[in-house]
Amino acid sequence: MFGYHKKLLRVDLTNRKIEVEELSEEVIRKYFGGVGIEAKILYEETGPETDPLSPENVLMAITGPFTATGVPTSGRHHVVARSPLTGLFGESNVGGSWAVHCKRAGFDGVVIKGKAESPVYLWIENGKAEIRDARPIWGKDSYESAAWLKQETAKEATAAVIGPAGERMAKIAGIPHIGHIVRAAARTGLGAVMGSKNLKAMVVFGDGPVSIAKPEALKAHIRELTPHIQKATEAFGKYGTSGGIENYEKMGNFPLKNWRQGRWAAAKKISGITMHDTILSGRKACMQCPIACGRHIKVTEGPYAPMDCEGPEYETLGTLGGI
Ligand code: SF4
C-alpha cells in the first residue's frame, strides 16, 4: 500500500521511552486518513473517566495518505486528544509544514502519553526521534521558543510549540506550528494537553522519500489540476481568509459582541479586502498549496509602525475585531 510508511512514533513521556509502532494495512484501510486513525486510538485508549489534563490522555498528530506527495493543499494534519474544553473528542486541523516534514522524516505521525518529570520537547529527524530538555524555554512565548528550538535542531525544522497559555493549561490554548509559515492547531484546547504533559514542543525535520504508486502520472495530474484550483480560489488567495468579513457582517454571520449585535458599520475596516489594499506585502502558503491564503503585512506608519510580520487570519479578526 502506498502513501503511508505504516509507522507511528509511540512516545511515553513518563518513562522517557520512544517506540515505533507498525500500522497495519487493515487499520489504514478501515480508518483512512490521520483523523480516522486518531479517532480509533482515542476511542480505544481513553474513556469518559480520562481527565483530559492527566497523563492518561493521548495526544496525537497524524498525517494522511496524500501528505508530502505534492497533492494540492495536502500539507496538513490533525492534532487530536480528549479535549480539556469539552471532555470529549478534541480535534484541530492544521496546515503549514509540520505534516510534510513528519512524513518525509519517515513517520505517519506521533502518539504521546504520560507526563514528563520536567519540561521536554520531542525532536524528530529522518528516521530518529528523541526526548530533549526544554527547561531553558519554559515560560517563553512560542516565537521565542521556536527560534531557540531551531537553533538547537535544524533551521529548516518546524516546531509545534506552546507558549505560556498552554503551559498554564488554559483551556483555550492552541498549538502554533512555526516553520516557513505560522499555522495553529487552535481548536479544542489542545495546547493545554501539551502543557499538562510538560511537553513544550514537537519539532520535526525530514527530507526523505514517500511512497507513491505512479509518481509521474500523479505529477502530470497535479500539473493539470493546479490552474483550475487557482482559478476557482482566486479571490480567496487574493484576499485571504478574512476576505469575506463584509459579507458575513451583512448576512449577520459575524460574531459581533459574542453574537449579541447584528450589524457593525466598521466591519469593512478589518476585512481582508482592506488589508489587501493597505498593508499587505505578500502572500504565504502552507507546503504543497497553490492557493496561498496566508498573509504577510508591512505597517510603515501610524501607532503600530514599524511592523513586518504575518498578517491576521479570519479567526483572529473575527474574535478580537468583532468581539
Ligand atoms: S495556504 Fe491557505 S488554502 Fe493553502 S493549505 Fe494553507 S490554509 Fe489551506
Side-chain angles (χ1 to χ4, degrees):
M1 187 174 184
F2 297 89
Y4 289 92
H5 295 294
K6 299 184 186 166
K7 280 182 192 168
L8 284 181
L9 277 172
R10 278 272 181 178
V11 181
D12 172 357
L13 290 172
T14 307
N15 298 302
R16 286 186 84 104
K17 262 193 177 163
I18 302 178
E19 285 173 0
V20 177
E21 176 184 308
E22 196 182 323
L23 259 178
S24 73
E25 192 152 330
E26 189 197 339
V27 166
I28 290 170
R29 285 192 184 279
K30 204 163 167 190
Y31 301 95
F32 196 70
V35 74
I37 295 168
E38 289 169 319
K40 173 190 183 293
I41 294 173
L42 197 75
Y43 182 72
E44 287 176 351
E45 299 187 22
T46 68
E49 73 291 349
T50 309
D51 177 348
L53 297 176
S54 72
E56 286 73 40
N57 198 4
V58 191
L59 177 76
M60 292 165 277
I62 302 186
T63 63
F66 286 153
T67 310
T69 60
V71 170
T73 74
S74 64
R76 313 184 59 87
H77 66 289
H78 282 265
V79 184
V80 164
R82 194 163 271 272
S83 163
L85 264 182
T86 63
L88 303 171
F89 183 75
E91 176 249 320
S92 191
N93 180 288
V94 57
S97 47
W98 196 96
V100 173
H101 277 303
C102 180
K103 191 61 97 56
R104 287 194 178 143
F107 302 106
D108 297 307
V110 296
V111 180
I112 301 170
K113 271 183 169 176
K115 178 181 180 180
E117 215 168 69
S118 60
V120 295
Y121 71 95
L122 180 66
W123 167 227
I124 305 165
E125 183 191 22
N126 288 331
K128 294 176 292 186
E130 59 182 299
I131 296 166
R132 290 183 169 186
D133 186 11
R135 281 174 298 180
I137 47 169
W138 197 253
K140 300 208 185 299
D141 73 30
S142 299
Y143 285 91
E144 206 180 338
S145 301
W148 183 87
L149 288 162
K150 287 179 189 207
Q151 241 173 27
E152 294 289 309
T153 56
K155 69 176 188 319
E156 304 86 359
T158 298
V161 51
I162 56 169
E167 292 173 8
R168 290 175 197 164
M169 293 177 266
K171 291 185 179 179
I172 55 166
I175 310 169
H177 287 58
I178 303 179
H180 74 287
I181 186 172
V182 182
R183 290 300 197 223
R187 293 170 191 239
T188 68
L190 300 174
V193 177
M194 281 182 70
S196 74
K197 295 184 175 307
N198 264 336
L199 179 64
K200 178 71 177 174
M202 299 178 279
V203 190
V204 62
F205 173 77
D207 58 5
V210 294
S211 62
I212 299 170
K214 295 177 182 168
E216 290 314 315
L218 181 65
K219 261 189 217 156
H221 193 53
I222 291 168
R223 264 199 305 274
E224 191 190 323
L225 204 61
T226 298
H228 297 288
I229 295 173
Q230 284 173 322
K231 191 157 183 263
T233 57
E234 198 180 338
F236 182 58
K238 187 171 176 185
Y239 299 120
T241 51
S242 57
I245 282 182
E246 279 176 78
N247 285 336
Y248 301 150
E249 188 272 334
K250 279 182 199 144
M251 291 188 290
N253 187 23
F254 192 55
L256 295 168
K257 305 279 179 208
N258 268 329
W259 302 103
R260 283 181 291 116
Q261 184 176 312
R263 301 296 310 268
W264 182 40
K268 186 177 183 200
K269 286 189 182 174
I270 60 166
S271 82
I273 297 174
T274 302
M275 195 190 325
H276 172 271
D277 295 343
T278 54
I279 53 173
L280 188 76
S281 63
R283 284 163 59 173
K284 300 190 86 170
C286 300
M287 269 185 174
Q288 313 202 322
C289 175
I291 300 167
C293 76
R295 312 284 87 183
H296 195 96
I297 56 161
K298 221 175 223 180
V299 179
T300 52
E301 55 189 49
Y304 301 108
M307 200 183 275
D308 186 356
C309 58
E310 294 210 12
E313 297 291 334
Y314 168 78
E315 299 289 351
T316 317
L317 291 164
T319 48
L320 298 179
I323 281 176

